[in-house]
Amino acid sequence: MEALDVVHISKEDQETIFAMLATVLWLGNISFTVIDNEGHVQAVENESLSHVAELIGCDLKDLKLTLSTRNVKVGNDKIVQKLTLSQEIDARDALAKFMYSCLFDWNHFEQFCINYANERLQQHFHRHLFKLEQEEYIHDGIDWAKVEFEDNQDCLNLFEKRPLGLLSLLDEESTFPNGTYLTFANKLKQHLNSKSCFKGERDQAFSVCHYAGRDSVLTNKRNVTYGDIYPLGVRQRGILVNGRFPGPDIHSVTNDNFITNVFNSLDEPFLLSWNGIQQRRNSFEDGVFGTTSGGFGGIRILSRPRIPVPFPDPSGDYTVLFIGDWYKSNHTTLKAHLDRGKKLPIPDGILINGRGPNGLSFNIEQGKTYRLRISNMGLQHSLNFRSQNHKMNLVEFGGTHTLQTTYSSLDVHVGQSYSVLVTADQPSQDYYIVVSTRFSAKILTTTGVLRYSNSTGPISGPPPGGSTIQVDWFLNQARSIRTNLTANGPRPNPQGSYHYGLINTTKIIILSSSPGQVNGKQRYAISSVSYISPDTPLKLADYFKISGVFRVGSIFDRPTGGGIYLDTSVFQPDYRSFIEIVFQNNENIVQSYHPDGYSFFVKNVSSGKLAKVKGSFKLSAAAKKSAVDKPKLLSQLSALVSDIGLNIREAHVFSITDGYSLNAPRLQPYFRLYTPPSWKHQTTHIIFK
């Protein structure tokens, strides 16, 4: 109690902490009784159950029902399943573990202290290995060459100096009754901005340049609400992030620590995902089953100053260009359309940064070079992006620097992100930015404006045309994109000890998509399995060992050729195996697969099909390294699966985010990697979406 008072945790918060601890203890005392001949049980109504219900503010009957059953949602139907004794004990213990872990998730002061401790240890090392030793050499008159080293004393002073060090100012701010993160950050910026190791960031953020490099802590809030939007001139209900559509950008640097508080003000769950960002070793769960109708925002990540990028700094860096197809109908209408067993209609238009035709312009100056970040945030269509009379130099794809190649237009598939350099080298006037659909029966087009600061005239002529249904164009672009292996690496060859061309493939998994109807509703399947999502997120079920939520082996490594059926599909590859995944698209639509948390090498994109020969599979078409995404095509990729836990998830491009509103055409197998006895347990996951 006294310790909690010292660190200024309020009495109200202390009472809440003790209530949660008491709840955890009472949960352990809940007992169960058998209710039928099949071994199903339910919680006994005794003082333990009553105390838990009272402490968490829950109705006693609701708590009893929650502990005794689990819900499985299939489309709009919810199936209630009774639990056995072992399943119910697992559910009870999982709730207790989760509540206990929540006691420690709200405090981020630990990392601050860890960074300070690391600086102090580094100074201790410097003092004894360099400073004191060299003072001894001088005292003894030893002839020696002075060793230069980078001293971190300035960084230590930033933490320790009184009265204007980080710790002193934090202690001072903690004594103020109205102190907040913002007032603390503002005080730091006021007193410490002149320090070389300190940098004030936007809002509540600040960064400290540590001995090992810049280590920034970014904090912000994301409030997700409904609101009226008019992207195509028609009023509709959309998702707003902090009251904006699209949501505000996040500006960051590699190695930043990003802390966000997300508030769901919708009337339904939703999934917040981070396409293109590897979340290795720190993923906890993959979100809850929910819906959105277009809430999104950008994350702009720059390289640390100590790590050079393979191109000169541009004169400007334009906020992510969000392009995507769009419907005037709300997501509830689209959901009902799918629930009637119908496919989605043709979209109503294309958006650029949430606006319709000519709704957005970008100002540039003659002779300067600009970086444009382009992301396809649409629902199902691949898009071709081009700028009238201006070439684009590709420098980054999916978070990885590429060998620089010049394009007149770029195919951007759903979920993909590119960075290009565009030089203002044309006569001073206005020019079209054009985005149009690819591989669609009806070509949809929208335009923006690239405006020179000294423009002498408006846009003239029709928008420039681009590729529409040509597959060769897509294949040639995909095959031309190459990773820059000398960029951002500590050595010329970042592959290290791996020579991927010589590694033996230990497992081949073939994922073949197929459409169909189940219970009168349109769905899609991988290897005949159309994914259904349980109420308990799979990451939670796996982490807390909750039985009955999923089963490993519920999907086969090869297409079965059978009809579509519903299941929670989970593979089981071997830990640290080098697997090859083959995506066979048998449909006339584009499918996008995005590994979130893993890098991979694409071995082939072609119009070939797999042929079975002597118990194995081979390609009928030539293989070359390229990117993924394909209509009526086949793609192969290879990856080292090295993170223990419930891993890969794949979702069809029709999903708006992760919800059944457009989940009727859902494909979603997971991978589960189990820890061999010789390896320490760790958990992460990949999402193919």
Side-chain angles (χ1 to χ4, degrees):
M1 295 284 290
E2 185 178 350
L4 295 176
D5 292 334
V6 168
V7 295
H8 298 284
I9 294 179
S10 68
K11 294 296 184 184
E12 182 181 358
D13 287 342
Q14 290 182 35
E15 290 296 329
T16 302
I17 291 171
F18 296 140
M20 290 183 70
L21 288 173
T23 302
V24 171
L25 295 174
W26 280 114
L27 276 169
N29 292 336
I30 291 177
S31 57
F32 306 98
T33 182
V34 178
I35 59 174
D36 57 30
N37 295 330
E38 297 180 2
H40 296 132
V41 298
Q42 68 179 12
V44 176
E45 291 191 21
N46 54 22
E47 66 168 348
S48 299
L49 193 69
S50 300
H51 281 308
V52 171
E54 180 182 356
L55 288 167
I56 64 177
C58 174
D59 182 78
L60 180 65
K61 289 187 172 53
D62 290 339
L63 177 61
K64 181 179 178 180
L65 182 65
T66 299
L67 290 173
S68 305
T69 61
R70 73 180 182 95
N71 298 327
V72 177
K73 189 175 182 181
V74 180
N76 281 340
D77 302 324
K78 182 175 287 189
I79 301 174
V80 179
Q81 295 182 341
K82 297 177 181 179
L83 301 181
T84 63
L85 179 60
S86 61
Q87 292 174 337
E88 194 143 353
I89 290 175
D90 287 341
R92 178 200 65 188
D93 293 348
L95 177 60
K97 291 176 184 177
F98 180 75
M99 292 188 65
Y100 186 72
S101 68
C102 288
L103 287 171
F104 304 94
D105 289 342
W106 57 277
N107 186 0
H108 303 286
F109 181 62
E110 296 94 333
Q111 188 61 51
F112 181 84
C113 295
I114 291 170
N115 293 344
Y116 168 52
N118 288 337
E119 291 290 350
R120 173 48 65 188
L121 289 172
Q122 188 66 46
Q123 178 60 211
H124 181 80
F125 173 80
H126 284 164
R127 175 173 171 77
H128 287 272
L129 188 63
F130 295 115
K131 293 181 179 180
L132 295 181
E133 284 295 321
Q134 294 189 98
E135 289 175 4
E136 287 291 327
Y137 292 166
I138 294 174
H139 181 268
D140 294 339
I142 297 175
D143 187 16
W144 60 285
K146 185 176 181 181
V147 178
E148 299 294 339
F149 62 93
E150 186 176 347
D151 196 348
N152 68 331
Q153 187 59 54
D154 287 343
C155 188
L156 268 181
N157 292 340
L158 181 68
F159 277 89
E160 299 175 342
K161 192 173 182 179
R162 294 178 179 273
L164 297 178
L166 286 171
L167 295 173
S168 296
L169 292 173
L170 176 60
D171 186 56
E172 176 183 294
E173 190 67 19
S174 299
T175 63
F176 292 155
N178 296 323
T180 65
Y181 286 120
L182 182 60
T183 58
F184 174 56
N186 289 338
K187 181 173 291 186
L188 295 182
K189 296 171 188 176
Q190 176 186 352
H191 295 290
L192 302 178
N193 258 345
S194 61
K195 306 299 182 183
S196 60
C197 297
F198 179 87
K199 182 180 179 181
E201 307 284 358
R202 298 174 61 180
D203 301 327
Q204 304 173 22
F206 66 91
S207 60
V208 175
C209 185
H210 288 287
Y211 178 79
R214 183 177 186 269
D215 186 6
S216 175
V217 178
L218 306 177
T219 61
N220 71 3
K221 179 178 71 173
R222 288 289 186 267
N223 187 24
V224 182
T225 62
Y226 289 123
D228 290 337
I229 57 177
Y230 302 81
L232 292 176
V234 176
R235 177 183 173 184
Q236 60 185 123
R237 189 172 76 160
I239 298 292
L240 308 182
V241 181
N242 289 2
R244 294 167 57 181
F245 174 82
D249 288 347
I250 296 170
H251 296 260
S252 61
V253 174
T254 53
N255 279 24
D256 280 350
N257 297 295
F258 181 65
I259 301 168
T260 183
N261 296 308
V262 181
F263 299 88
N264 184 1
S265 300
L266 309 180
D267 56 5
E268 54 189 330
F270 70 92
L271 172 67
L272 184 66
S273 59
W274 314 84
N275 285 344
I277 296 182
Q278 293 193 17
Q279 304 171 68
R280 303 204 64 178
R281 302 180 185 274
N282 67 345
S283 65
F284 180 59
E285 59 178 300
D286 55 345
V288 294
F289 208 47
T291 65
T292 78
S293 57
F296 52 85
I299 304 176
R300 183 188 299 183
I301 304 175
L302 301 174
S303 294
R304 287 181 293 168
R306 293 187 181 186
I307 300 179
V309 296
F311 52 87
D313 288 339
S315 300
D317 190 334
Y318 269 113
T319 298
V320 179
L321 292 168
F322 294 118
I323 59 177
D325 50 16
W326 193 260
Y327 290 87
K328 294 178 181 178
S329 302
N330 294 333
H331 71 279
T332 52
T333 303
L334 298 177
K335 173 183 180 299
H337 188 84
L338 292 169
D339 286 346
R340 289 194 296 269
K342 299 181 179 180
K343 295 183 179 181
L344 290 175
I346 296 173
D348 295 304
I350 305 294
L351 303 186
I352 303 178
N353 280 15
R355 302 184 185 182
N358 291 325
L360 201 65
S361 63
F362 301 93
N363 297 320
I364 58 177
E365 295 184 24
Q366 184 76 38
K368 293 186 176 181
T369 298
Y370 297 84
R371 182 176 185 176
L372 305 182
R373 301 168 186 259
I374 309 161
S375 295
N376 187 340
M377 301 298 294
L379 187 59
Q380 59 175 313
H381 280 92
S382 295
L383 300 173
N384 183 266
F385 179 91
R386 53 201 181 271
S387 179
Q388 184 182 20
N389 295 354
H390 290 77
K391 298 292 185 181
M392 297 178 290
N393 184 18
L394 179 65
V395 295
E396 179 265 332
F397 168 59
T400 300
H401 287 125
T402 63
L403 296 179
Q404 296 179 25
T405 308
T406 300
Y407 299 90
S408 58
S409 68
L410 275 175
D411 283 350
V412 187
H413 305 290
V414 175
Q416 285 187 340
S417 297
Y418 291 85
S419 280
V420 298
L421 298 179
V422 175
T423 300
D425 55 3
Q426 297 298 307
S428 297
Q429 64 176 63
D430 293 352
Y431 295 89
Y432 281 112
I433 291 176
V434 186
V435 181
S436 58
T437 55
R438 292 278 274 125
F439 314 115
S440 58
K442 178 182 178 182
I443 304 301
L444 303 176
T445 302
T446 194
T447 56
V449 180
L450 195 65
R451 176 165 294 139
Y452 279 66
S453 59
N454 55 345
S455 176
T456 58
I459 293 176
S460 60
S467 56
T468 54
I469 61 173
Q470 299 87 350
V471 175
D472 288 346
W473 172 272
F474 152 71
L475 289 174
N476 291 334
Q477 175 189 304
R479 291 166 177 159
S480 68
I481 298 174
R482 295 289 188 274
T483 299
N484 187 338
L485 295 178
T486 63
N488 288 1
R491 52 186 178 275
N493 180 15
Q495 294 185 83
S497 60
Y498 288 110
H499 191 305
Y500 287 98
L502 300 179
I503 294 178
N504 293 325
T505 299
T506 56
K507 192 180 190 68
I508 298 177
I509 296 174
I510 302 172
L511 303 180
S512 179
S513 61
S514 58
Q517 290 197 356
V518 179
N519 299 327
K521 297 176 181 178
Q522 182 66 41
R523 297 191 69 93
Y524 286 78
I526 284 285
S527 298
S528 300
V529 181
S530 187
Y531 181 83
I532 56 173
S533 181
D535 280 354
T536 304
L538 296 189
K539 287 292 292 184
L540 279 178
D542 182 56
Y543 186 83
F544 291 113
K545 297 180 174 57
I546 304 173
S547 61
V549 178
F550 69 91
R551 60 187 178 89
V552 174
S554 51
I555 184 171
F556 295 99
D557 295 345
R558 300 287 193 276
T560 62
I564 293 178
Y565 62 95
L566 305 178
D567 206 338
T568 303
S569 42
V570 179
F571 288 103
Q572 184 183 342
D574 297 326
Y575 179 59
R576 295 192 68 83
S577 60
F578 203 83
I579 66 172
E580 182 173 297
I581 303 176
V582 180
F583 300 107
Q584 177 68 57
N585 183 0
N586 301 315
E587 304 168 54
N588 291 317
I589 59 175
V590 175
Q591 296 176 349
S592 298
Y593 299 85
H594 303 278
D596 184 1
Y598 273 85
S599 296
F600 63 91
F601 280 81
V602 180
K603 301 176 66 175
N604 175 44
V605 175
S606 72
S607 57
K609 290 188 177 181
L610 288 176
K612 190 170 183 179
V613 179
K614 294 181 180 179
S616 62
F617 288 84
K618 73 173 186 178
L619 282 172
S620 302
K624 283 183 179 286
K625 178 181 175 183
S626 58
V628 182
D629 283 299
K630 59 274 177 213
K632 279 286 185 182
L633 297 177
L634 173 144
S635 298
Q636 286 176 287
L637 63 85
S638 293
L640 175 69
V641 285
S642 57
D643 283 341
I644 297 300
L646 189 65
N647 283 345
I648 299 174
R649 187 179 101 216
E650 176 277 326
H652 197 277
V653 297
F654 277 0
S655 295
I656 287 183
T657 55
D658 194 38
Y660 182 78
S661 71
L662 289 182
N663 186 65
R666 186 59 156 204
L667 318 167
Q668 185 169 305
Y670 280 77
F671 282 25
R672 172 62 168 90
L673 305 183
Y674 285 98
T675 318
S678 58
W679 295 96
K680 182 180 178 181
H681 182 77
Q682 47 187 276
T683 305
T684 192
H685 74 285
I686 304 175
I687 301 177
F688 283 124
K689 185 182 297 181

